[in-house]
Amino acid sequence: MPIDLGLSRVTKLLHHLGNPHINAYKSIHIAGTNGKGSTVAYLSSILTQAKVRNGRFTSPHMVYYNDSICINNEVYPLAKFKNISDYVQKENTSLRLGCTEFELLTVIAFKIFEIERVDLAIIEVGLGGRLDATNVLEPFDPKTDLKGGVIATGITKIGIDHEALLGDTLAEIAYEKACIMKKSVPCIVDRKNEQEALKVVKEVAKNTMSDLYMVDGMNKPETCPTNKMCYSDPKSLLKYSPLKGDYQLQNLSIALTILDVVKLQNHSSLSNENGESKITADAIKLGIEKTVWPGRLQSINIPKTGLHLLLDGAHNASAAIELAKYLENIRGDEGGIIFVIALTKGKSIDNLLKHIVHKNDTVIPTVFSVPEQMPWISSYSSEDVQKVAENYVQDVRNIGTSGQSIEKVLDYVNELKLSGDNRNVVVCGSLYLCADILRYVNTLSK
């Protein structure tokens, strides 16, 4: 089933399954156009090093369908995942709810977190926020006997994307994302967002009585409307992060401020037997060092060939601008880059290419395979990408039909390198294309 935003179906299914997201564990909920995945990855890695049992739910899946769900930073085993998936889908069929694939995946994640007895779940919004299936999450209320609920929310960089579903303006999109805020639950926001977006975020925070922490990478976040202080210094800690890109300072700042705010709440599950926080300075440093988030400025070598690639899932204008900043640092003396590009139908090919390519670059258009359990997702044909790319670069090489395998594309790029082409190779345009590369590497590594 294609994307169909709404909360009624998923609410009914979760209620039938005992509302695990309310009754079993506390949650942190993260929205944003770009950067939310990296923020979730930092949080999960740090909490794991702090020995706080945590679950992580991200989307889309990267390499295999079950890698959307992790326990203590480890992908949930496929066999166990399938058992819970079969159970949830059976209940959905029995109740005739007609949940979408993403709604089912959300429920599977929430149920797995209950079964695995996590103390804290870190949940990434799938699309938007207000009507996203994950927004069934409710605020934690210490005045009740319920164990679960949201204890903090985060909003990363907001940009123009998914206009058909979220709105045509930055203000409209910001509203959809800001609506993950919960009554009286603190929200940590990237202060470097456009003022048009921040104005909307502040208004929603006022209406939900949420303390709003505005962070910009400095060690003293501006807060609105309160004046609470946080302690971690992201600028000094960023050097430990293996994730590339200047924008990681913002993502790390959001993650660290969330942890500072959560520590101030003194939840027993986050403290040791002496009542001291498990989230120590050592756990934070080690967690940052061990953070892994594939497909974002990821350097990778193709086994058996020595071919080196930079993978980046940049697929919208905001992400393309950040990728372009990074590429300026790796352009060789000749200045050119070999780009392997595929995009999801509906995305703007122009909004990617106009930011990242130079006239003397080479573009190799390709396609990605249909992602598992997401049949509504499809790739532009290589001819579609070629037509747009020819407006930006002189050298576009469509090496075959739209059905060529990623192996064929990489073999072609490797031949270029062996013939003496010393330019860097960048694969971008879609996380689904990055996933094809990573799956191919896995097969070669066995």
Side-chain angles (χ1 to χ4, degrees):
M1 181 185 293
I3 296 170
D4 182 13
L5 298 177
L7 300 179
S8 61
R9 296 178 296 268
V10 69
T11 298
K12 290 175 183 176
L13 184 54
L14 281 166
H15 177 75
H16 180 74
L17 298 178
N19 285 326
H21 60 304
I22 299 172
N23 293 318
Y25 46 84
K26 297 175 179 64
S27 303
I28 295 170
H29 200 193
I30 308 292
T33 306
N34 299 108
K36 59 185 183 292
S38 298
T39 301
V40 168
Y42 282 127
L43 286 168
S44 178
S45 186
I46 292 169
L47 289 168
T48 299
Q49 295 305 315
K51 294 182 170 50
V52 174
R53 188 165 178 79
N54 68 92
R56 186 179 85 192
F57 178 46
T58 55
S59 61
H61 61 278
M62 192 63 213
V63 182
Y64 305 108
Y65 192 54
N66 56 308
D67 67 28
S68 288
I69 300 169
C70 294
I71 303 295
N72 286 345
N73 234 17
E74 295 288 338
V75 173
Y76 200 60
L78 181 59
K80 295 173 74 174
F81 174 93
K82 191 174 185 309
N83 286 338
I84 306 303
S85 175
D86 289 347
Y87 167 65
V88 168
Q89 296 198 51
K90 180 180 178 182
E91 296 302 312
N92 174 60
T93 301
S94 175
L95 295 168
R96 299 182 179 179
L97 294 175
C99 287
T100 67
E101 284 85 352
F102 182 71
E103 288 169 350
L104 291 171
L105 186 59
T106 300
V107 174
I108 291 165
F110 289 179
K111 192 64 181 177
I112 285 173
F113 296 156
E114 177 189 41
I115 291 169
E116 294 296 329
R117 298 184 178 183
V118 304
D119 295 313
L120 191 57
I122 308 113
I123 311 294
E124 178 192 14
V125 167
L127 195 157
R130 182 174 64 93
L131 296 176
D132 185 74
T134 64
N135 208 30
V136 294
L137 293 168
E138 296 184 9
F140 172 69
D141 186 350
K143 298 176 183 177
T144 70
D145 294 330
L146 297 176
K147 291 177 59 179
V150 178
I151 58 175
T153 59
I155 300 175
T156 61
K157 190 68 179 290
I158 300 170
I160 299 294
D161 202 8
H162 298 293
E163 297 95 314
L165 295 167
L166 303 180
D168 295 324
T169 69
L170 201 59
E172 290 174 320
I173 294 171
Y175 176 75
E176 294 295 320
K177 296 181 185 299
C179 282
I180 70 161
M181 290 189 206
K182 308 294 185 287
K183 183 178 179 181
S184 301
V185 173
C187 181
I188 292 77
V189 181
D190 184 342
R191 188 166 64 185
K192 290 191 175 181
N193 272 302
E194 299 290 338
Q195 287 301 312
E196 181 183 356
L198 291 179
K199 181 180 178 181
V200 173
V201 169
K202 290 177 181 179
E203 187 63 31
V204 175
K206 180 180 177 181
N207 293 337
T208 56
M209 297 179 288
S210 299
D211 285 348
L212 195 61
Y213 293 76
M214 313 280 280
V215 300
D216 65 359
M218 303 303 290
N219 63 332
K220 294 182 178 180
E222 172 192 332
T223 61
C224 171
T226 65
N227 192 33
K228 295 177 182 176
M229 194 57 64
C230 296
Y231 311 115
S232 296
D233 179 1
K235 207 166 188 180
S236 67
L237 290 167
L238 184 65
K239 63 187 176 186
Y240 300 112
S241 173
L243 306 188
K244 300 174 183 176
D246 293 342
Y247 56 85
Q248 287 301 339
L249 179 58
Q250 290 304 109
N251 300 332
L252 181 59
S253 298
I254 293 170
L256 292 176
T257 306
I258 286 173
L259 293 174
D260 281 331
V261 169
V262 167
K263 283 193 287 185
L264 292 173
Q265 297 174 7
N266 293 318
H267 297 288
S268 58
S269 58
L270 306 183
S271 303
N272 61 26
E273 60 273 11
N274 298 321
E276 301 166 336
S277 176
K278 294 180 181 178
I279 306 170
T280 63
D282 286 343
I284 289 172
K285 176 178 173 292
L286 191 57
I288 294 171
E289 288 178 338
K290 291 183 174 292
T291 300
V292 176
W293 194 232
R296 282 77 172 180
L297 292 179
Q298 180 185 7
S299 295
I300 190 166
N301 291 313
I302 305 299
K304 302 179 182 178
T305 67
L307 179 63
H308 180 79
L309 309 174
L310 179 73
L311 305 185
D312 194 81
H315 60 275
N316 55 41
S318 296
I321 290 169
E322 296 300 334
L323 173 58
K325 291 177 184 176
Y326 184 80
L327 293 181
E328 289 309 306
N329 298 320
I330 69 167
R331 286 184 179 273
D333 294 337
E334 299 176 2
I337 290 177
I338 300 171
F339 286 96
V340 176
I341 295 176
L343 291 93
T344 303
K345 281 185 180 177
K347 298 291 182 180
S348 171
I349 303 173
D350 281 289
N351 280 348
L352 175 72
L353 294 179
K354 70 182 180 182
H355 293 295
I356 64 170
V357 299
H358 291 184
K359 275 287 185 183
N360 60 335
D361 291 334
T362 294
V363 171
I364 302 173
T366 187
V367 297
F368 57 75
S369 58
V370 176
E372 186 180 4
Q373 300 293 321
M374 301 175 75
W376 63 91
I377 298 291
S378 60
S379 175
Y380 281 116
S381 70
S382 56
E383 288 78 14
D384 289 333
V385 177
Q386 177 184 356
K387 289 175 185 176
V388 180
E390 286 172 346
N391 296 324
Y392 293 94
V393 300
Q394 298 174 347
D395 187 15
V396 181
R397 305 186 189 185
N398 190 347
I399 63 172
T401 66
S402 288
Q404 76 260 35
S405 69
I406 199 64
E407 180 179 2
K408 180 180 177 181
V409 174
L410 293 182
D411 284 346
Y412 179 79
V413 173
N414 194 48
E415 288 174 7
L416 290 180
K417 302 294 284 185
L418 291 173
S419 67
D421 193 327
N422 294 319
R423 292 177 294 170
N424 286 297
V425 183
V426 177
V427 178
C428 64
S430 172
L431 283 172
Y432 304 118
L433 176 59
C434 295
D436 280 346
I437 299 282
L438 293 172
R439 273 191 296 271
Y440 177 62
V441 168
N442 285 348
T443 61
L444 293 179
S445 300
K446 291 180 180 177

